[in-house]
């Protein structure tokens, strides 16, 4: 087990950083997606959706920082270019003209995508004995699962 970040091998740090940067890219894109929808949602559910989308993007902004700081803590570079995040992310930008239910569906799918990416990160970190990254991935995964559930509840 790697008791500190400096205990990780160069190969382990690189592999973990790649997975962290994937999660970071998806979180960055989803942060902007939620903010876009926050600004542009309309309809009878405007109030609660406007508030929920804000809760999501505020949480995700903090999550971005946590992920990027973990990349740095293991001695690697956190990717910071928006174009890189857009290219890398499995989550795609949304249409600000979408109907509220499409916004909800897209944002729920984004939460599930990030959750899956974080589960993969957790496995990679565990495989290298990096319990701190594993813990971060598990905790962030729980948050994304909760947001996916909250969003999907609006579709029923």
């Amino acid at each position: 087990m790697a008791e500190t970040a400096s205990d990780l091998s160069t190969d382990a740090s690189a592999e973990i950083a790649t997975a962290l940067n994937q999660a970071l890219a998806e979180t960055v894109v989803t942060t902007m997606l939620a903010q876009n929808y926050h600004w542009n949602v309309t309809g009878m559910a405007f109030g609660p959706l406007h508030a929920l989308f804000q809760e999501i993007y505020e949480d995700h902004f903090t999550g971005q920082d946590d992920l990027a700081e973990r990349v740095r803590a293991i001695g690697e570079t956190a990717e910071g270019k928006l174009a890189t995040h857009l290219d890398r992310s499995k989550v795609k930008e949304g249409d600000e003209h979408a109907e509220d239910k499409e916004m909800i569906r897209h944002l729920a799918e984004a939460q599930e995508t990030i959750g899956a990416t974080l589960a993969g990160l957790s496995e990679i970190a565990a495989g290298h004995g990096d319990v701190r990254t594993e813990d971060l991935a598990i905790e962030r995964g729980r948050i994304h699962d909760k947001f996916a559930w909250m969003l999907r509840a609006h579709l029923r």
Side-chain angles (χ1 to χ4, degrees):
M1 174 185 343
E3 293 189 20
T4 68
S6 61
D7 291 337
L8 295 169
S9 71
T10 302
D11 289 343
S13 293
E15 184 178 8
I16 293 165
T18 297
L20 277 161
N21 275 312
Q22 180 67 41
L24 175 60
E26 291 170 9
T27 304
V28 167
V29 173
T30 303
T31 302
M32 194 63 228
L33 179 66
Q35 195 162 37
N36 175 6
Y37 290 165
H38 167 80
W39 292 331
N40 292 297
V41 68
T42 59
M44 291 299 294
F46 168 79
L49 289 177
H50 185 75
L52 177 57
F53 295 163
Q54 181 173 350
E55 182 182 352
I56 291 170
Y57 75 71
E58 288 176 349
D59 167 80
H60 290 19
F61 188 77
T62 300
Q64 292 174 43
D65 199 47
D66 292 342
L67 292 163
E69 287 179 354
R70 186 62 192 159
V71 174
R72 296 299 298 144
I74 63 171
E76 300 291 335
T77 300
E79 295 172 350
K81 293 182 180 176
L82 294 176
T84 302
H85 292 311
L86 285 167
D87 286 344
R88 180 187 282 270
S89 178
K90 292 178 242 164
V91 175
K92 299 304 172 197
E93 292 182 290
D95 177 6
E96 61 270 13
H97 302 290
E99 294 293 323
D100 57 354
K101 287 190 178 187
E102 183 53 35
M103 289 178 175
I104 295 165
R105 192 173 354 275
H106 188 189
L107 204 45
E109 290 168 358
Q111 299 302 316
E112 292 167 350
T113 298
I114 298 170
T117 296
L118 288 163
L121 168 59
S122 176
E123 290 177 16
I124 290 167
H128 290 292
D130 181 0
V131 295
R132 288 177 183 84
T133 301
E134 181 184 11
D135 182 59
L136 173 62
I138 290 168
E139 182 55 32
R140 291 298 312 159
R142 284 187 188 113
I143 291 166
H144 292 287
D145 284 350
K146 182 177 180 181
F147 281 132
W149 157 66
M150 293 172 77
L151 288 158
R152 293 235 181 260
H154 284 274
L155 296 174
R156 295 200 169 105

